[in-house]
Amino acid sequence: MTYPRLTDKPGALETAAAIRAGDMSPHEAVEDAIARIEKLDAHVNAVAVCDFERAIATAKAMDGQKPSPDQPLFGVPMTIKESFDIAGLPSCWGHQEFAGNIAAKDSVVVRQLKAAGVVFLGKTNVPVDLTDWQSFNPVYGRTNNPHDHDRSAGGSSGGSAAAVASGMVPCDFGTDIGGSVRVPAHFNGVWGHKTTWGLVSKHGHDHPMMAGKGAHDGVLSIAGPLARNGDDLQILTQLTASVPLRERTKPLEDCRFLLLVEHPISEVDNDVRGLIESAAKAIESAGARVDHATSALPDLKAQNEDYMRMLGVAMARGAPGPDGKSASATDWFNLLDQQARNELAWEVFFQEYDFVLAPPAPIVTFEHRDKAFFEGDVTINDKVHRAADGLAWAGLATFPNLPATVLPVGDVGGLPCGMQVMGPKWSDLDCIVAATEIGALLHS
């Protein structure tokens, strides 16, 4: 199964290996990436904030140095989502009123990746408040999907995925609360990983209204990497993990999968469903067990209802919802109880299964819209659905705080299509390695 690829440029670990071997210098790697951005971004508009002068100076200072063992990405150029703080650069989340908000210090993720040898070239585009499956705002404009400039690159890490897919940079780091890493990966034909909630710090990823004050690490929302292969996802996850993660040793053929392409809330486009079913057949042909149904699943309808309520309260920080009512403390604690019960239900499920295979979204990328995607409808299999119902596939892993890795599995009319591989809590590396092995089956 082939999928659309726009570049043959090396990934993060390949670039680091070339630098260690003396085939290129950090300065050359950075200058090459800047040249690609200057050539490609006029049509894509993925990189919202450029920091080229500092990147060149940093890379030049690294030339001739020998990487230390704790610098596996020495000299590797990359970008990061605009919402992460980098000292000296704006973090406005797409708001004109905060366009002059300059970060005083680096976010934790930026510090961790710099310590590993990364050179940051700038920051990638987002929707206002990170709340859409499109990436456009009045400050930085609209990011186009590099496969079709008339279509969305996804959101809210749309600029991140577009920069990686087009070959501007080998990797990026985004965040995900409603599929914001997984959906852009799916729309752009790259790899993305939704981490277990709490694994990667989001300190320094604060709404500009909270700039410099610090804030709690909000429920549901995670930070996770995007790249063009599974090995890069793995190293980026390991470098930013706040707790040690176990290494997977179970062979793929010994694993038990559940194929989940039906949801009581969200219908899936037949072409998307067909590609994921074909991927499942390839996994089954490799010797693994793939079930198409089970009574062990939690109640997905109830899970989605609780997820959407929690998502609404969290995004509004308790402000009145569309019905004019505010959530009380009792409402919030009840939601936390429901989330805990849902986590336990998935824990029981994963005593029988190793992974779930599911679509990241019910459709491939869509044509640009002038209003938020979730405010409208979407046609799936000739039927009109609420666009917001598609969030059910994001909530599948988000509400129970579980990891999920997206890999490309094919195309629908030339547009990329991905699949998410979801596993039990803290099985982040398991998900990434399984996805990598699946990718090798599909794309060899």
Side-chain angles (χ1 to χ4, degrees), residues 11-362:
L13 286 171
E14 289 178 277
T15 301
I19 290 171
R20 284 197 305 274
D23 296 332
M24 70 169 68
S25 68
H27 179 213
E28 289 170 331
V30 165
E31 289 279 15
D32 286 351
I34 290 172
R36 293 194 297 272
I37 293 171
E38 291 176 337
K39 177 182 178 181
L40 299 169
D41 209 34
H43 303 290
V44 178
N45 191 35
V47 182
V49 180
C50 296
D51 197 18
F52 295 164
E53 289 186 10
R54 287 200 301 180
I56 291 169
T58 298
K60 283 183 175 179
M62 298 169 80
D63 284 357
Q65 294 184 17
K66 184 178 180 181
S68 64
D70 60 353
Q71 292 180 304
L73 298 182
F74 182 83
V76 174
M78 70 175 285
T79 47
I80 196 166
K81 191 173 183 176
E82 196 271 353
S83 46
F84 284 95
D85 285 351
I86 294 181
L89 298 183
S91 291
C92 73
W93 294 40
H95 286 278
Q96 281 186 316
E97 64 185 295
F98 297 117
N101 174 42
I102 306 300
K105 59 183 181 180
D106 291 341
S107 60
V108 169
V109 165
V110 168
R111 292 203 305 269
Q112 290 169 320
L113 293 174
K114 282 183 176 180
V118 162
V119 179
F120 282 99
L121 306 184
K123 300 168 72 175
T124 42
N125 203 20
V126 297
V128 176
D129 280 338
L130 321 183
T131 57
D132 196 10
W133 279 1
Q134 305 178 91
S135 292
F136 72 93
N137 61 73
V139 180
Y140 303 122
R142 183 189 298 278
T143 297
N144 299 318
N145 191 301
H147 296 271
D148 182 341
H149 296 165
D150 292 327
R151 294 176 181 267
S152 172
S156 60
S157 308
S160 303
V164 173
S166 60
M168 297 181 203
V169 290
C171 57
D172 198 292
F173 225 92
T175 57
D176 187 317
I177 192 172
S180 290
V181 164
R182 289 164 289 166
V183 170
H186 164 60
F187 281 1
N188 290 272
V190 298
W191 297 62
H193 181 64
K194 179 220 170 291
T195 54
T196 297
W197 185 85
L199 177 66
V200 177
S201 172
K202 287 176 55 259
H203 288 293
H205 183 277
D206 304 321
H207 192 281
M209 290 181 67
M210 304 291 290
K213 301 175 183 176
H216 73 291
D217 193 356
V219 297
L220 304 175
S221 177
I222 62 88
L226 295 105
R228 289 194 295 273
N229 61 71
D231 290 340
D232 286 351
L233 285 188
Q234 182 168 342
I235 190 65
L236 290 164
T237 300
Q238 289 172 315
L239 289 170
T240 53
S242 58
V243 297
L245 292 169
R246 69 176 186 270
E247 299 279 352
R248 178 172 170 269
T249 57
K250 192 173 185 179
L252 192 70
E253 60 268 23
D254 292 342
C255 291
R256 184 180 182 185
F257 294 82
L258 174 70
L259 174 65
L260 185 58
V261 287
E262 293 185 1
H263 194 290
I265 301 298
S266 176
E267 184 173 0
V268 177
D269 176 81
N270 287 335
D271 290 328
V272 172
R273 176 176 179 149
L275 287 169
I276 293 173
E277 287 176 336
S278 295
K281 287 180 182 176
I283 296 167
E284 203 166 21
S285 296
R289 176 175 171 177
V290 180
D291 292 347
H292 293 243
T294 178
S295 60
L297 268 177
D299 183 335
L300 297 184
K301 184 175 185 294
Q303 173 178 329
N304 190 69
E305 291 171 353
D306 291 332
Y307 165 62
M308 294 302 292
R309 279 196 292 269
M310 180 174 274
L311 182 66
V313 175
M315 297 297 282
R317 294 181 66 89
D323 60 359
K325 297 180 180 179
S326 298
S328 68
T330 299
D331 294 332
W332 185 247
F333 282 115
N334 287 341
L335 275 173
L336 291 174
D337 288 340
Q338 291 299 102
Q339 186 185 35
R341 294 180 190 117
N342 185 248
E343 282 193 45
L344 290 172
W346 279 105
E347 186 177 322
V348 171
F349 169 87
F350 281 118
Q351 291 173 7
E352 292 186 42
Y353 288 90
D354 295 289
F355 302 104
V356 173
L357 307 172

